[in-house]
Every structure is written in C-alpha cells, then in structure tokens.
Amino acid sequence: MAQQETKPAGYGEDDMTRGSGWDALLDDLFGLNVRALRTLAVSVIWPAKLFSAARDRDWLDRYTPSIRLVFTLIATVVFLKFLWVNEASALFAYTQATIEAMDLEFPGRSAEDATREYLATLLVTYPFSYFGVHAVFALMLNIWGKGTPLPVRIRLYFVTLVPLLLLGVVSTVAYAWVDPAQMDLMASLGFVLLFGLYVLTLMRGLSPVHQAGPRLGRSLLGGTLMTMADLLVSLVSSLWAVTWLYATAG
C-alpha cells in the first residue's frame, strides 16, 4: 500500500492553499491573490494601516510586500500598454507627430516604423527605469519617523507608490479613448494629479508617527521628490529607447 504523503505543518492555512483554489489560480495568472487585492484596497482606503504593517517583519501576516506589489502593477501596466498601444491609439499618433515635429530621422525607418519600434522599446526600458530611479530616491528620502531603519524606509517608499500605480493602470486603459490632441493636457494633468495623490497618501499614511504640521511638510517633500522621480523615469526610458533606435539605424 502506498505511503500517505505527510503535509507540512500549517498546510492549508494560508491564503494560497485554502478554500476553492481560485486564490491560487489568480496568483498563477496575474500575481494577484486575495491578500494582494486586500493590500491594494488598504493602500487606497487606509494607507496608515499599510504604513504600520510595513514596520512589521512579516507585514502582520495580512498584506503583500510593497516591492512585490509594485512589480506586479508595473507588469500589468506594461501588459496593458502592449494591448492598447497600437497604430490606432492616441499615444501612437501623438508619438509619431512628436517625432515628425522634432525632425528626428532614423536611417532605414519611416516615422511610423520609428514610432512603432520606439514604443516597443519603451515597454522594455520602462520597468528597469522605474525600479532603478525609484530605488535611488527611496534611499535618499527620509520622512518616515525618527529611527526608521533603511529597509523599512524602502518598504514605506514603495507602499506610497502603490496607489499611484493603480492610477497608472486605469490611465493606461484610458489611452483607448483619448484624442491625440488631448495628450499634452492629459500628461500635464497627470503629473499634477500624481503630486496630489502622493501628498495625500503620505499625509494619511504618516498620521500615526507625525503631527499634522510636520506631516504636511514631510508629505510635500515626499510628493515633490516622488513626482520628480516619475519625471526622471519618463526621461530615462525615452532616452534609452531613442538611443536604441539610433544604435540600430541603418
């Protein structure tokens, strides 16, 4: 008779093995299980809870680590851009018009071909630029409270990014309905909205450790630096893509 397999202690007690298995399937497909979805909701509704959990070694056994969640959201944004950004999209038309207006020439490529390859390259450079730039800013920013160790500061920084990346997912879907003439306005409003949401998230998240006055100053500083980081991400990603086009031209 075959020997019955012994399950490890605690098997079936976590959110990846209990219930119907749908949670595990969601994680297999999208990297988002019930715990991750709960973390996303808390990051928007009660960020102070997530800020407090980030100070616990195991995230209170309730929440998904912020860096892992940011990675998943970035992958989602890239996937959606892959689906939505085609020759018929506003972003494609806007990018092609920009290349033509700047008189950029890539030997062996038409403006349309250059636009197509530029946007495809951007899908590759953006995730690396995002993590690289924000990792550096996470090391520099120290608004989280006296005595907060560096690993926790990095966790808290990436917690703050989560609601903004959710907005990024929504705005990526919105590209399908935006007119090319509105892209400049959308980009400008987007960065203003980013700054406001960064400040709001920090104001709410830091409430357990700072009084209102100091918290506002720290939130404004954090929001400013994080918005600057996002601008730098866009610049670095674009420079990488343009450099690749020139390097492979001819």
Side-chain angles (χ1 to χ4, degrees):
M1 183 173 65
Q3 186 176 1
Q4 186 175 4
E5 181 182 359
T6 302
K7 302 296 185 184
Y11 182 86
E13 295 177 0
D14 60 69
D15 64 359
M16 284 297 296
T17 53
R18 68 172 179 238
S20 65
W22 284 106
D23 186 62
L25 182 61
L26 282 172
D27 188 73
D28 290 343
L29 291 173
F30 306 109
L32 288 174
N33 55 18
V34 170
R35 178 176 292 191
L37 294 174
R38 180 198 305 134
T39 307
L40 289 174
V42 170
S43 73
V44 175
I45 302 171
W46 301 291
K49 289 186 177 182
L50 204 54
F51 274 54
S52 297
R55 299 176 185 274
D56 178 75
R57 176 185 177 90
D58 299 312
W59 293 84
L60 303 177
D61 288 323
R62 288 182 55 83
Y63 303 110
T64 299
S66 55
I67 295 178
R68 185 188 308 167
L69 202 54
V70 166
F71 179 83
T72 300
L73 289 170
I74 287 292
T76 303
V77 169
V78 170
F79 177 70
L80 288 173
K81 284 185 176 180
F82 174 77
L83 292 179
W84 288 108
V85 179
N86 50 50
E87 286 83 349
S89 70
L91 183 59
F92 189 96
Y94 175 80
T95 304
Q96 182 174 340
T98 301
I99 289 175
E100 292 171 346
M102 295 178 67
D103 290 327
L104 294 176
E105 295 184 1
F106 303 98
R109 296 185 180 93
S110 65
E112 183 177 342
D113 291 336
T115 301
R116 187 180 299 107
E117 189 164 348
Y118 169 83
L119 291 174
T121 306
L122 211 59
L123 294 179
V124 178
T125 62
Y126 178 76
F128 292 101
S129 300
Y130 191 92
F131 274 97
V133 170
H134 278 291
V136 172
F137 275 70
L139 295 174
M140 297 190 300
L141 187 62
N142 187 10
I143 60 173
W144 315 107
K146 186 177 181 180
T148 303
L150 181 58
V152 176
R153 283 159 46 190
I154 295 172
R155 279 181 163 193
L156 290 165
Y157 184 100
F158 278 85
V159 166
T160 311
L161 297 179
V162 171
L164 282 300
L165 284 171
L166 277 175
L167 175 65
V169 171
V170 174
S171 63
T172 301
V173 175
Y175 280 141
W177 294 279
V178 174
D179 187 271
Q182 299 174 326
M183 290 296 295
D184 281 327
L185 177 62
M186 184 176 177
S188 300
L189 291 177
F191 278 109
V192 172
L193 184 58
L194 279 178
F195 173 74
L197 286 178
Y198 276 135
V199 173
L200 181 61
T201 301
L202 289 168
M203 277 293 292
R204 298 169 66 207
L206 291 172
S207 57
V209 294
H210 291 301
Q211 297 297 320
R215 190 164 78 247
L216 176 59
R218 290 169 183 262
S219 299
L220 288 171
L221 174 61
T224 300
L225 288 178
M226 289 178 172
T227 303
M228 289 173 59
D230 284 326
L231 287 167
L232 190 56
V233 168
S234 298
L235 177 62
V236 171
S237 300
S238 296
L239 286 176
W240 275 19
V242 170
T243 300
W244 171 258
L245 285 177
Y246 276 117
T248 57

